Amino acid sequence: MQTVIRTIISDELRRRFVHARRVLVLTGAGVSAESGVPTFRGGGNTAVWKGMPFDVISSAQMVQRDLPAVWEWFDYRREMLKALEPNPAHQAIAQWQNRFEQFTLVTQNIDGLHHRAGSRDVIELHGSIWRARCITCHAAAEQAGKCELCFVVGTSAVVYPAAAIPEIARAAGAYVCEVNPEPTPLSNLCDEVIQGRAGEVLPILGIQIAVNG
Ligand code: NAD
């Protein structure tokens, strides 16, 4: 595995990883896939709870139609998440926060696994399943405009405002690198696409650059 990954990390990314001072990482459901959390679109129209697919139960329409059912669904998810652990991708990202002068982690996930891996000051765009509150993305957009290196990990990049973050970073001159096993609508915008699973690529990326950079 290590040999395969080594061939796909460019010299340009190595150089930028070593010298960057301001780094932003945007994560989506895919970063938690290897912990056993189903992704949103990965399941397609598969019923995940009481015969309903993900996008029906978690929709704004469902909140209006049957709020008690939405609470019940989130109780079910909290129970499921209790048994799951952060994976090597969450752990690698938690280590990166001590490596760069300014490090911003923005997640669309609500599972709390970045916190559990030791990440501090996580910007949770969609809130957290463990707390009933939401925050806006303005903090996140400001950091995106300042970073030099931006990683986009495990997101299909179709949900705004998160999808705008790599665009803002790129427009401000940052090098944007996607880590995802599949191409996404964002792939063409990125300077570099590393096709692979987050839990395999991210830990190796840090180690390799420390060794070979
Ligand atoms: P998505 O389900 O739309 O896309 C997941 C992406 O992850 C896909 O592009 C897929 O190719 C990629 N992926 C799958 N396995 C991967 C791996 N091992 N490594 C790297 N990438 C991998 O997810 P999204 O773009 O985050 O949007 C979904 C929305 O649903 C978000 O708003 C999010 O809040 C919510 N959601 C959250 C969780 C969670 O908290 N863990 C889970 C499901 C959905």
Side-chain angles (χ1 to χ4, degrees):
M1 189 69 223
Q2 202 149 341
T3 315
V4 175
I5 299 293
R6 184 167 286 143
T7 61
I8 59 174
I9 295 171
S10 71
D11 289 345
E12 181 65 20
L13 179 59
R14 263 179 228 286
R15 194 183 62 73
R16 288 179 184 263
F17 195 87
V18 169
H19 296 292
R21 287 174 298 135
R22 297 181 300 279
V23 173
L24 182 143
V25 177
L26 170 68
T27 64
V31 81
S32 295
E34 289 159 78
S35 292
V37 188
T39 61
F40 191 50
R41 284 167 195 82
N45 284 325
T46 316
V48 289
W49 187 72
K50 294 197 174 178
M52 288 178 277
F54 225 119
D55 55 349
V56 170
I57 329 163
S58 298
S59 66
Q61 290 86 340
M62 189 70 186
V63 171
Q64 283 172 351
R65 198 169 67 236
D66 193 351
L67 187 59
V70 175
W71 281 112
E72 204 187 321
W73 152 242
F74 276 92
D75 284 342
Y76 163 80
R77 289 181 75 190
R78 274 187 280 270
E79 252 341 281
M80 189 189 82
L81 284 169
K82 270 187 204 164
L84 303 181
E85 296 292 335
N87 68 54
H90 299 107
Q91 283 151 4
I93 292 169
Q95 284 168 11
W96 290 4
Q97 73 195 344
N98 299 321
R99 181 183 181 115
F100 301 102
E101 203 174 294
Q102 198 179 93
F103 181 78
T104 306
L105 172 57
V106 184
T107 188
Q108 297 166 84
N109 295 346
I110 58 169
D111 57 30
L113 289 173
H114 282 302
H115 281 290
R116 287 181 50 203
S119 283
R120 301 182 296 270
D121 305 324
V122 185
I123 298 176
E124 293 170 315
L125 286 182
H126 300 164
S128 166
I129 197 164
W130 308 107
R131 294 187 307 278
R133 84 182 168 92
C134 275
I135 57 170
T136 62
C137 79
H138 303 301
E142 194 184 318
Q143 294 305 321
K146 289 181 187 163
C147 72
E148 299 162 283
L149 181 57
C150 172
F151 287 94
V152 184
V153 184
T155 173
S156 56
V158 291
V159 183
Y160 278 82
I165 288 173
E167 291 170 6
I168 295 169
R170 182 80 205 278
Y175 190 81
V176 179
C177 172
E178 177 176 70
V179 179
N180 199 310
E182 307 283 338
T184 75
L186 199 73
S187 301
N188 284 338
L189 173 112
C190 293
D191 295 289
E192 183 154 346
V193 174
I194 300 181
Q195 213 164 9
R197 286 149 57 102
E200 292 165 2
V201 173
L202 297 187
I204 290 174
L205 183 69
I207 292 164
Q208 255 196 37
I209 287 168
V211 171
N212 302 325

